[in-house]
Amino acid sequence: MKMISVLVFLLLLNGVEAEAQNKETGNKPKLVIGIMIDQMRWDYLYRYEARYGNDGFKRLLRDGYSCENTFIPYTPTYTAAGHASVYTGSTPALNGIAGNFWYDKVLGRSVYCTEDDSVQTVGSASAAGKMSPKNLWASTISDELRLSTNFKSKTIAIALKDRGSILPGGYSANGAYWFDNASGGWITSTFYMNALPAWVLAFNQQKLPDTFLKQNWNTLYPINTYTQSTADAKVYEDILPGEDNTFPHLTASITTNKYESFRYTPGANTYTFEMAKAAIKNENLGKRNVTDMLAVSFSTPDYMGHKFGPNSIEAEDMYLRFDKDLATFLKYLDATIGKGDYLIFLTADHGVAHVPGFAKENKIAAGTFDDAIARKQINDSLKKDFNLNNVIEHITNYQVYLNDKELNQSKVDKETISNYIIQKLLRYEGVSQAFALETIGTFPLPHKLKEAVINGYNQKRSGDIQFVFKPQWFDGWDKGTTHGVWNPYDQHIPLLWFGTNIKPGKLYREVYMTDIAATLAAMLQIQMPNASIGNVIEELVK
């Protein structure tokens, strides 16, 4: 009888403790995992669906909730802006991240989104760690989660790219890690810590990038089965650094700057997943009676995509391999956190355009525009017609930055020069519209395009004149491809929700990447980020 009484007491005690924990977490997820796939177009979910396994993308689509019409509400659609906008619930106009780079007229130079000379690299002798979120003006959902628990919650951010880690991690991350070409391992900056944790040092000591490079990159299946792709080694594809554009990619033979080449290979995705699992284990994420967050971004699809394009065998093979890695990661989460105890959102920072050569090969209008040539040609015309020097200081993010000092010293008013430049820009075949950004409120543009330009316009960091390309045109080169514009191929991204309190389903009304943070805030019952303009996706939280 005494034994039974003790057992009953212990069961009751466990029940009380469980109830107390449930009250503290409020049936919230133990761990929120943000998965961003750099340069993933929405259609990749379905283009390769027949070849995906049952436990990766298909599991998220089958058992999760897919927002099928998720768009980016601004331009330029670049990596830094995408990561910042997802996690701040805001746009470049308000969060300050106007692109990967922008031109600073006061400094007289281009500024990188996460540069910070006041901090030092941790984990390497290189300068790759002189980075922080200081250029980000707004809080992130990860910051707000930590604030809501008086900093008991942990946030860890991981990406090969510094901007893919730092901007999601925000100001209060317990750790933000990115990949360093010099050391071939994960590094951070003194903004976050003064020394790498022992577990990161141990992870780096495994030298996994070397292991993956030694395996070379051949197709997962016989190459003749890649029917969703063009033939291998098209002339308009670029090359893998240190190698070529033909399967098999013999990465084991790369000796010069091999870790830069590693970034372009599927092994780098696997490596990022392994780092994510190590962070969960060693930081005890999801095991501490509060909701933690892991922000992990996969940079490799972007590196690969720029070189080979969305119709290459490389793209198809990378997503088939990523699907297998994703399935393995989900099984790891089931075993360590528990089914239903973690919440995943999977999205992208932008899409990508077809390679112009591929488009032309298939009789689709396309082309490229050279910023440097346009700048020189228009400046030469301004010198001839107005005797002005270097009026166009810089062109970036589809914006022209004018030389205010030169214009102020001249007898020609700025509006006259601005209109002159606009007319010159419109003569280029690929340019469809050009206008002074200060006139955007009254300039006649389709509503969606106007809204994208306004949301992307940052008065302190944007240029003076905006130009818009015809569809399938971009500023770039003849080999490979890029992104950055307002068109659906760059703006339409996946958004999948899976895990805690998520019921299977699909939503076809239009939502935006800026809605993700507001929706998470509602789910976690915390304040949304301080510059958030997104709306809660009500279908998910009802």
Side-chain angles (χ1 to χ4, degrees):
M1 284 295 292
K2 287 183 178 180
M3 179 71 71
I4 294 172
S5 298
V6 170
L7 288 172
V8 170
F9 174 75
L10 290 173
L11 287 170
L12 289 170
L13 181 62
N14 287 336
V16 170
E17 288 178 348
E19 185 179 356
Q21 180 175 337
N22 287 336
K23 284 182 179 179
E24 187 172 354
T25 59
N27 199 27
K28 297 172 187 175
K30 295 177 180 177
L31 178 62
V32 175
I33 303 150
I35 296 176
M36 292 195 70
I37 305 178
D38 201 330
Q39 203 188 107
M40 184 176 183
R41 291 163 51 125
W42 166 82
D43 59 317
Y44 291 165
L45 286 174
Y46 301 103
R47 179 170 184 153
Y48 310 129
E49 185 179 21
R51 306 194 78 182
Y52 289 149
N54 289 323
D55 301 319
F57 287 118
K58 280 185 178 178
R59 182 180 175 190
L60 298 186
L61 285 166
R62 180 182 64 247
D63 300 333
Y65 196 90
S66 178
C67 298
E68 294 284 286
N69 281 297
T70 304
F71 285 86
I72 299 171
Y74 60 81
T75 183
T77 48
Y78 288 132
T79 297
H83 283 78
S85 294
V86 164
Y87 280 85
T88 64
S90 192
T91 63
L94 298 172
N95 65 34
I97 304 301
N100 294 336
F101 293 87
W102 54 83
Y103 188 73
D104 189 305
K105 291 186 178 183
V106 176
L107 296 176
R109 66 173 178 84
S110 185
V111 171
Y112 179 60
C113 57
T114 53
E115 68 173 56
D116 188 351
D117 283 337
S118 71
V119 300
Q120 301 300 318
T121 304
V122 174
S124 171
S126 76
K130 294 174 72 65
M131 305 285 171
S132 83
K134 79 167 190 177
N135 288 322
L136 180 66
W137 293 352
S139 69
T140 62
I141 189 64
S142 41
D143 288 325
E144 296 297 336
L145 176 60
R146 297 209 68 218
L147 284 164
S148 74
T149 61
N150 197 25
F151 301 98
K152 295 184 185 73
S153 294
K154 276 188 179 181
T155 292
I156 302 295
I158 296 165
L160 296 182
K161 294 180 181 178
D162 49 65
R163 57 189 181 270
S165 171
I166 291 168
L167 298 171
Y171 281 90
S172 65
N174 300 88
Y177 304 101
W178 53 95
F179 187 67
D180 175 49
N181 285 355
S183 63
W186 299 99
I187 62 170
T188 188
S189 82
T190 51
F191 180 87
Y192 299 101
M193 60 191 71
N194 293 319
L196 289 177
W199 70 266
V200 178
L201 290 171
F203 190 92
N204 284 343
Q205 287 170 1
Q206 296 179 59
K207 294 293 182 184
L208 291 178
D210 295 86
T211 301
F212 288 119
L213 286 168
K214 287 176 183 176
Q215 295 171 0
N216 294 319
W217 178 14
N218 206 347
T219 52
L220 188 61
Y221 304 107
I223 198 166
N224 63 350
T225 67
Y226 285 71
T227 57
Q228 285 298 104
S229 307
T230 59
D232 192 25
K234 286 286 190 176
V235 295
Y236 47 73
E237 294 177 351
D238 209 338
I239 64 172
L240 187 73
E243 218 253 343
D244 58 27
N245 68 340
T246 307
F247 276 107
H249 293 289
L250 303 178
T251 55
S253 63
I254 298 174
T255 56
T256 302
N257 205 6
K258 64 180 179 179
Y259 295 127
E260 174 65 19
S261 301
F262 172 67
R263 293 173 181 265
Y264 294 78
T265 66
N269 287 326
T270 310
Y271 178 64
T272 305
F273 271 118
E274 289 302 312
M275 179 63 171
K277 288 190 282 186
I280 291 170
K281 177 182 177 181
N282 291 282
E283 295 288 349
N284 210 26
L285 299 181
K287 301 286 187 179
R288 300 170 324 97
N289 297 340
V290 290
T291 300
D292 294 319
M293 179 172 284
L294 174 66
V296 56
S297 177
F298 293 87
S299 308
T300 296
D302 184 73
Y303 289 120
M304 175 280 305
H306 278 291
K307 292 294 184 184
F308 300 102
N311 302 287
S312 63
I313 294 176
E314 283 82 359
E316 184 174 351
D317 193 67
M318 179 161 288
Y319 277 94
L320 297 180
R321 289 177 180 274
F322 189 97
D323 180 64
K324 288 182 174 294
D325 284 341
L326 178 62
T328 300
F329 185 59
L330 293 175
K331 289 176 182 177
Y332 174 82
L333 294 172
D334 291 342
T336 56
I337 308 300
K339 287 185 178 181
D341 287 333
Y342 60 89
L343 173 66
I344 286 177
F345 70 88
L346 183 150
T347 190
D349 52 350
H350 54 73
V352 69
H354 293 301
V355 177
F358 165 84
K360 292 174 182 178
E361 183 178 69
N362 291 281
K363 300 181 180 180
I364 297 170
T368 59
F369 177 89
D370 192 310
D371 287 347
I373 290 176
R375 179 189 172 197
K376 183 180 186 308
Q377 289 176 341
I378 299 174
N379 271 340
D380 286 348
S381 294
L382 286 161
K383 174 66 175 176
K384 178 183 176 182
D385 293 344
F386 296 96
N387 196 31
L388 295 173
N389 296 305
N390 194 35
V391 172
I392 298 179
E393 243 184 314
H394 200 74
I395 298 179
T396 193
N397 300 332
Y398 319 105
Q399 294 167 359
V400 175
Y401 290 75
L402 299 181
N403 186 334
D404 294 332
K405 183 178 179 180
E406 177 72 8
L407 290 176
N408 289 338
Q409 291 175 350
S410 74
K411 295 180 180 180
V412 187
D413 67 273
K414 185 176 180 178
E415 185 177 356
T416 298
I417 297 300
S418 179
N419 288 334
Y420 179 93
I421 293 171
I422 287 168
Q423 293 307 311
K424 290 290 184 182
L425 285 168
L426 289 170
R427 294 182 185 181
Y428 289 96
E429 181 185 358
V431 176
S432 61
Q433 288 105 354
F435 47 87
L437 276 163
E438 63 182 15
T439 69
I440 183 58
T442 57
F443 191 80
L445 285 174
H447 174 73
K448 187 159 188 167
L449 175 53
K450 177 178 283 192
E451 186 175 48
V453 173
I454 290 172
N455 284 336
Y457 174 56
N458 186 292
Q459 191 172 11
K460 286 192 170 185
R461 292 176 171 174
S462 295
D464 301 282
I465 296 168
Q466 179 95 37
F467 54 94
V468 179
F469 290 123
K470 296 175 184 176
Q472 194 48 54
W473 279 73
F474 53 74
D475 56 339
W477 41 90
D478 292 329
K479 289 183 181 290
T481 187
T482 192
H483 51 85
V485 295
W486 68 274
N487 305 76
Y489 49 80
D490 280 358
Q491 275 200 340
H492 191 189
I493 55 175
L495 176 55
L496 303 176
W497 301 84
F498 176 84
T500 308
N501 299 325
I502 299 296
K503 295 178 181 179
K506 288 189 176 183
L507 179 66
Y508 290 94
R509 72 173 177 88
E510 196 164 293
V511 299
Y512 303 95
M513 67 156 43
T514 45
D515 296 332
I516 295 171
T519 304
L520 282 172
M523 290 175 168
L524 299 175
Q525 296 176 314
I526 64 175
Q527 182 60 271
M528 62 183 65
N530 57 21
S532 175
I533 60 170
N535 297 304
V536 176
I537 302 171
E538 294 183 16
E539 293 86 346
L540 274 167
V541 299
K542 283 181 178 177

